[in-house]
Every structure is written in C-alpha cells, then in structure tokens.
Amino acid sequence: MKPLVGIIMGSKSDWETLQPAADTLQRLGIAFETRVVSAHRTPDLLFEYAETARERGLEVIIAGAGGAAHLPGMTAAKTSLPVLGVPVQSKMLSGIDSLLSIVQMPAGIPVGTLAIGQAGATNAALFAASILANKYEPVRAAVDKFRAEQTATVLANPDPSVTAIPRP
C-alpha cells in the first residue's frame, strides 16, 4: 500500500515523540512513511522531500521538530499539502519554544499546530486521518470506530472512584 502520510522529524531523537503518530496511523490502517529530514542540516533533502511528496502519493505530512522548529514551516513553504506540526519537548524551554516557532507562521503559509509532545503526535495522526476520511471510506470507518471505542471506554467507567475488582 502506498503511503498517504509522511512523518518527518528534524533528528532521530525526535522519534520518541513522533512514534505515537505512527502507532495511531497503523492502528487506523493508514499507510505512512517516516524520515529524518532536518531543516538545518539537510535543507536540500527537505526541499526535495516536500516538493515531491504529492507525486509520491502523500496527502498529509506530519512534521515534528524541537527548538527553533523550522521543519514544519519550511515543509509547508515547499508544498501545498496539509502540514501538521508537532512541537517536540525541549530541555531548555519544555517545548514552548518549539510550539511558538511552529504556530507563529506568517499569513499565507499555514501549518496546523498540535500540542507539545506525544499527545500532539497522536492528535496529528488523528487529524491526518480525519483529512483522509473525506476521501477514503475505509479511513472514515476506522476513525468512526476509534471514536466510538473512546466513547464506550468512558461510558463503561463513569465513576473514577470505583475500582473494578476481578471476580473469581
């Protein structure tokens, strides 16, 4: 199956943050690819990746980056595909620097920006799935099933003070 989503990150160490995006896409049955593509260390590779993404079959790109976090914005500048930015938590400013770098894109070059860290990566995958669900019925069904399961989990355990005791 051809990848529909690209997951890119500025360095290999960002994988810990972005792996939940891959796990979520896999759970939903959405084909994806992962790559380390640094905006600062490999700008030519970044430009090539973004410029050829559509012709390679990608429909959404999830870009995670920490610190200066230029990867999502530079990717969005080189493709008209939807780019979803995931701020990677940094040691220096706990990811606030990354968040502000990604969310403060100038008018005309949008980047959908998610929460800092693994929650943002999971939601980026779900957001990508929601975009794809407009075109692909199996993705729509997988997203609907995922949401129904979340609802059922909450409804099955409405009182957090009650701990289920397994019966023999």
Side-chain angles (χ1 to χ4, degrees):
M1 192 192 277
K2 272 184 117 173
L4 296 175
V5 178
I7 302 174
I8 59 176
M9 60 213 78
S11 68
K12 186 177 177 180
S13 63
D14 296 340
W15 177 243
E16 183 180 341
T17 297
L18 291 165
Q19 187 170 359
D23 294 344
T24 301
L25 291 171
Q26 189 169 25
R27 176 178 177 185
L28 297 172
I30 299 170
F32 61 92
E33 65 183 28
T34 57
R35 300 280 186 278
V36 174
V37 181
S38 172
H40 301 115
R41 294 180 294 275
T42 61
D44 294 337
L45 177 62
L46 165 59
F47 288 4
E48 178 187 348
Y49 184 89
E51 289 171 343
T52 64
R54 185 182 305 277
E55 68 191 50
R56 290 183 293 107
L58 296 182
E59 297 188 26
V60 181
I61 297 173
I62 296 171
H70 289 123
L71 183 62
M74 291 302 297
T75 301
K78 298 301 282 182
T79 184
S80 59
L81 292 175
V83 176
L84 307 177
V86 178
V88 173
Q89 189 168 4
S90 60
K91 291 180 182 176
M92 191 67 78
L93 297 172
S94 297
I96 298 296
D97 50 343
S98 309
L99 174 66
L100 294 175
S101 293
I102 297 170
V103 80
Q104 287 298 108
M105 287 300 296
I109 309 293
V111 172
T113 309
L114 287 297
I116 298 167
Q118 292 184 344
T122 298
N123 282 339
L126 292 169
F127 196 176
S130 293
I131 291 167
L132 296 170
N134 289 312
K135 183 176 178 182
Y136 300 101
E137 177 57 38
V139 175
R140 182 179 312 124
V143 170
D144 290 346
K145 180 181 178 210
F146 176 88
R147 291 188 178 196
E149 288 170 355
Q150 282 192 310
T151 299
T153 299
V154 172
L155 294 176
N157 301 293
D159 186 349
S161 67
V162 177
T163 303
I165 300 171
R167 297 182 186 222

